[in-house]
Amino acid sequence: MNPSNTISFNVKPGGKLQGSLRVPGDKSISHRSIMFGSLAEGVTQISGFLEGDDALATLNAFRQMGVRIEGPDSGRVTIYGVGMQGLKRAKEPLDVGNSGTSMRLLCGLLAGQGFKVTLVGDSSLSGRPMRRVTSPLAEMGAKIEATEAGTAPLVIHPVDHLQGIDYLMPVASAQVKSCLLLAGLYAKGQTSTTEPAPTRDHTERMMAGFGYDIRREGPRATLSGGGRFTACTLDIPADISSAAFFLVGATIAEGSDLTLEHVGINPTRIGIINILREMGADIEVLNERDAGGEPVADLHVRSSRLKGIKIPEDQVPLAIDEFPALFIAAACAEGETVLSGAEELRVKESDRIQVMADGLVALGIDAQPTPDGMIIQGGQIQGGTVDSHGDHRIAMSFAIAALRASGEITITDCSNVNTSFPGFVSLAAGAGLNISSS
Ligand code: S3P
């Protein structure tokens, strides 16, 4: 066993969050920057890259396929693009660790290459559903082997050619949409995706930023295969999904006053702000500006009293990674909070409905899981021990819960916090959370 799997967080109760800080770079945008920079013609310069295990898994995969990449060095990465046809066969399987984004997006991108490649992941990723990408890719002509359960390892075989697809997505998933658009780059004719609800659109924005002709009409994105990417310069904003822990923490901890700098506020990602505001949070969006095609702002948050709400279902895809943190806000709110329409939470890095409900109950909160959400009664969070099940966002959510707990909270199995938020413990401690790791 990897000894780092034994990392626990110990968080003393109370405290408040103050000052000004910048959380690490956006994970979704970091993955895509490596993919598009590698396929581009010319040299792409990136700043603000997330030096977390997930984005590094994508970076290493492209190195294994022969791309020269310098860095990361304090968030700076230089990619010497090899062009659309320049990737080389990797000698070993590509191990993407815990990263669902790497596996699903790479699966599409690699389906149209002229070489065989195998994608493997850790035990959590190896249990996550991959048919949502392998089935439509098979319709395009791809040849991909998975386990009988439709999970990784995925063995991708070269095929003569891929055929464009007009795909009506059954699940609102940016990973599925992006996977198919990436495969579409290598397909004959047009590829279109139509999503049942808006999901993050970083792929579409970044393809356009690299000069690719991609058309968007409402829920539909369309491109034709055979084009090229031109290298560019990218400034990656801070990840709103990492800022989320601080937005909730500063809201629930009395006396807090915190500014989060240069946070990505892409409209497809701001469900956390919309939902917290509806619960009564005090969040100001300041200095809105553009960072290479992505909107960014500074977020100023002060503590406030929250009330329970029925979370609007149209906000679910816009806050899909933020529900662990939002459940902590709900536990601190007055009255009942109801989430529905969020069955996707059951197939994330852990079953986030069950694992969060178990943790909240262990800390004395009345939390009832439902097939597609949760019903939470606000109350007093007690001290206790919670198992994060190796899920980064669960670990960080229960850490901030201690701001309002009556006793110390211990969270086990926290090493995967490094997948999305390296430096979480020191940044949170600097802002006022009484946290240590052991
Ligand atoms: C992501 C999309 C989301 C999200 C994940 C990152 C992406 O997954 O949960 O953390 O970068 O495209 P789904 O598309 O499966 O909802």
Side-chain angles (χ1 to χ4, degrees):
M1 194 172 103
N2 174 352
S4 65
N5 284 348
T6 59
I7 288 177
S8 295
F9 290 167
N10 302 296
V11 199
K12 295 206 163 50
K16 57 188 171 191
L17 300 181
Q18 283 179 310
S20 200
L21 58 89
R22 180 165 170 164
V23 300
D26 188 278
K27 183 154 74 73
S28 293
I29 301 177
S30 293
H31 282 297
R32 288 158 174 81
S33 70
I34 296 293
M35 296 179 189
F36 299 144
S38 294
L39 296 178
E41 290 171 19
V43 181
T44 291
Q45 305 277 5
I46 303 168
S47 56
F49 182 78
L50 169 65
E51 298 184 33
D53 296 341
D54 276 13
L56 291 173
T58 294
L59 187 155
N60 285 327
F62 281 88
R63 275 198 180 130
Q64 277 180 262
M65 291 187 287
V67 183
R68 185 173 153 215
I69 304 175
E70 287 168 4
D73 179 8
S74 306
R76 294 193 176 275
V77 177
T78 304
I79 308 178
Y80 296 84
V82 295
M84 287 295 184
Q85 306 298 334
L87 296 178
K88 297 203 174 67
R89 183 176 180 276
K91 292 191 187 79
E92 306 285 334
L94 304 178
D95 184 352
V96 295
N98 193 242
S99 175
T101 308
S102 309
M103 185 163 284
R104 296 205 179 105
L105 271 58
L106 280 176
C107 188
L109 193 159
L110 296 175
Q113 306 294 329
F115 51 79
K116 181 180 163 190
V117 53
T118 301
L119 292 170
V120 299
D122 71 4
S123 61
S124 153
L125 183 53
S126 302
R128 294 179 65 187
M130 292 297 148
R131 277 200 193 108
R132 55 180 60 197
V133 289
T134 56
S135 297
L137 287 173
E139 282 181 49
M140 296 176 78
K143 200 170 161 224
I144 302 171
E145 286 171 65
T147 66
E148 232 166 80
T151 53
L154 303 178
V155 184
I156 304 169
H157 297 274
V159 288
D160 255 7
H161 71 271
L162 295 178
Q163 188 58 50
I165 191 175
D166 190 346
Y167 192 62
L168 199 56
M169 294 162 48
V171 188
S173 162
Q175 292 181 350
V176 173
K177 172 176 65 176
S178 303
C179 165
L180 298 178
L181 292 173
L182 284 161
L185 299 173
Y186 292 93
K188 283 192 178 162
Q190 274 194 357
T191 293
S192 292
T193 54
T194 304
E195 51 188 5
T199 67
R200 64 191 67 194
D201 65 355
H202 306 301
T203 297
E204 299 92 307
R205 285 174 187 251
M206 204 184 285
M207 281 188 176
F210 275 86
Y212 209 93
D213 182 18
I214 173 162
R215 293 179 298 290
R216 304 176 63 187
E217 295 137 1
R220 192 173 160 87
T222 304
L223 56 74
S224 296
R228 325 154 138 197
F229 290 143
T230 305
C232 64
T233 300
L234 286 169
D235 168 24
I236 299 179
D239 197 330
I240 191 167
S241 297
S242 296
F245 306 107
F246 291 91
L247 292 176
V248 171
T251 296
I252 64 173
E254 209 178 305
S256 295
D257 187 325
L258 188 70
T259 300
L260 298 156
E261 298 159 4
H262 204 69
V263 180
I265 53 157
N266 180 312
T268 59
R269 298 285 298 280
I270 56 169
I272 175 78
I273 297 176
N274 299 338
I275 295 167
L276 280 176
R277 276 183 172 164
E278 196 169 327
M279 295 174 79
D282 176 0
I283 301 171
E284 283 178 289
V285 177
L286 305 170
N287 306 322
E288 272 189 65
R289 54 206 184 266
D290 176 88
E294 291 281 351
V296 298
D298 302 324
L299 303 180
H300 180 212
V301 52
R302 279 175 290 207
S303 45
S304 54
R305 289 172 72 94
L306 296 178
K307 58 178 195 308
I309 60 165
K310 166 138 186 43
I311 297 175
E313 288 198 7
D314 64 0
Q315 294 298 311
V316 169
L318 311 183
I320 193 67
D321 290 338
E322 284 65 79
F323 285 103
L326 282 167
F327 293 152
I328 301 300
C332 297
E334 206 178 306
E336 181 175 273
T337 296
V338 180
L339 171 68
S340 58
E343 57 277 354
E344 275 294 295
L345 294 181
R346 293 203 177 268
V347 291
K348 292 295 179 188
E349 287 82 328
S350 69
D351 175 345
R352 287 184 173 159
I353 293 176
Q354 194 59 51
V355 173
M356 281 303 299
D358 290 347
L360 286 167
V361 168
L363 300 180
I365 295 294
D366 177 354
Q368 282 175 32
T370 64
D372 65 343
M374 205 178 320
I375 303 168
I376 299 173
Q377 313 297 334
Q380 173 59 55
I381 299 174
Q382 316 282 322
T385 297
V386 169
D387 183 351
S388 78
H389 287 259
D391 185 327
H392 53 139
R393 300 202 197 281
I394 299 224
M396 291 184 274
S397 297
F398 282 113
I400 53 136
L403 289 161
R404 275 279 287 273
S406 59
E408 180 167 325
I409 297 180
T410 298
I411 307 136
T412 59
D413 201 0
C414 297
S415 61
N416 279 339
V417 165
N418 282 329
T419 61
S420 67
F421 202 146
F424 170 73
V425 169
S426 56
L427 204 62
L433 188 68
N434 294 311
I435 184 169
S436 60
S437 59
S438 56

